[in-house]
Amino acid sequence: LTQSFKGHRDAVSALAFRRGSHQLFSGSHDRTIKVWNLDEMCYVETLFGHQSEITGLASLGKERCVSSGRDKSMRQWKIVEESQLIFRGNSAAIDAVAMSSEEWFCGGGADGALSLWKVQKKKPSAMLRAAHGRDPNGIPNWVTAVAALPYSDLVATGACDGMVRLWQCSRENTALSQVREVPVAGF
């Protein structure tokens, strides 16, 4: 261990590197995001806004990140502008977020929904409720993980049903269609 960063007051629950840089974002159960400069091995600033634990972080090349939280929101943080945009659409905690481009991101959570967002819009451009189906009691399977192949139309989700599903965004990003379902061995 060459360096340890201190500053969060609770568990660190999410990490994301800014692509093409040595900037690291850390999210925590203390409801904050911290920005770290790994070139200088130092703390840069703290971002405040989430009302509950932060569950996910994603970043690409621009100096910004997207976060998800147990407060049912996703936020885009514009570091240079010192501003944030708030996105709400899920009915429960949002546990995972991924950026497919600088303009598009997706999130999934406890309500079983997978949502696709454009940063200039306050409502999702596409939302799949119960994206991983429902359990025997009719409750949507919790989407616990989301990943996006950067700068493509491919999104992957994982859920408590033991499946990884691959989704393709439509050309206009107004729909998500499942292209593959992969069972996770041992689940």
Side-chain angles (χ1 to χ4, degrees):
L1 180 65
T2 60
Q3 182 73 31
S4 170
F5 294 115
K6 296 184 177 163
H8 284 295
R9 296 181 184 169
D10 205 336
V12 173
S13 52
L15 295 167
F17 279 106
R18 181 175 151 222
R19 188 180 198 147
S21 78
H22 293 116
Q23 189 172 56
L24 175 67
F25 301 99
S26 62
S28 171
H29 286 188
D30 68 7
R31 305 180 316 208
T32 67
I33 296 170
K34 297 208 181 282
V35 183
W36 307 93
N37 178 329
L38 300 186
D39 288 325
E40 303 292 326
M41 297 305 284
C42 67
Y43 159 83
V44 177
E45 68 178 304
T46 301
L47 309 174
F48 297 93
H50 276 286
Q51 302 302 304
S52 192
E53 296 94 342
I54 293 168
T55 56
L57 280 170
S59 182
L60 289 175
K62 290 186 178 178
E63 197 164 354
R64 56 182 64 170
C65 69
V66 176
S67 61
S68 60
R70 306 232 19 104
D71 60 2
K72 305 178 193 175
S73 77
M74 288 182 283
R75 295 166 190 256
Q76 182 193 48
W77 304 87
K78 297 179 179 181
I79 308 305
V80 174
E81 295 91 340
E82 296 184 0
S83 66
Q84 64 178 289
L85 300 172
I86 303 170
F87 303 90
R88 298 183 194 280
N90 293 57
S91 62
I94 304 170
D95 289 310
V97 65
M99 295 177 73
S100 57
S101 74
E102 299 291 352
E103 301 299 316
W104 292 92
F105 64 94
C106 50
D111 61 359
L114 171 63
S115 54
L116 178 64
W117 299 79
K118 184 170 184 166
V119 295
Q120 293 92 351
K121 304 282 184 182
K122 285 298 194 178
K123 293 187 178 186
S125 66
M127 182 174 278
L128 291 174
R129 304 231 181 253
H132 278 254
R134 297 178 181 277
D135 71 11
N137 297 319
I139 298 169
N141 288 316
W142 189 344
V143 176
T144 56
V146 176
L149 183 61
Y151 307 107
S152 78
D153 61 354
L154 187 63
V155 174
T157 56
C160 64
D161 64 348
M163 294 287 184
V164 172
R165 287 187 165 87
L166 300 177
W167 308 89
Q168 183 176 28
C169 302
S170 67
R171 184 174 301 266
E172 306 80 29
N173 286 323
T174 56
L176 291 158
S177 56
Q178 184 176 320
V179 294
R180 181 92 50 213
E181 177 179 283
V182 181
V184 178
F187 190 88

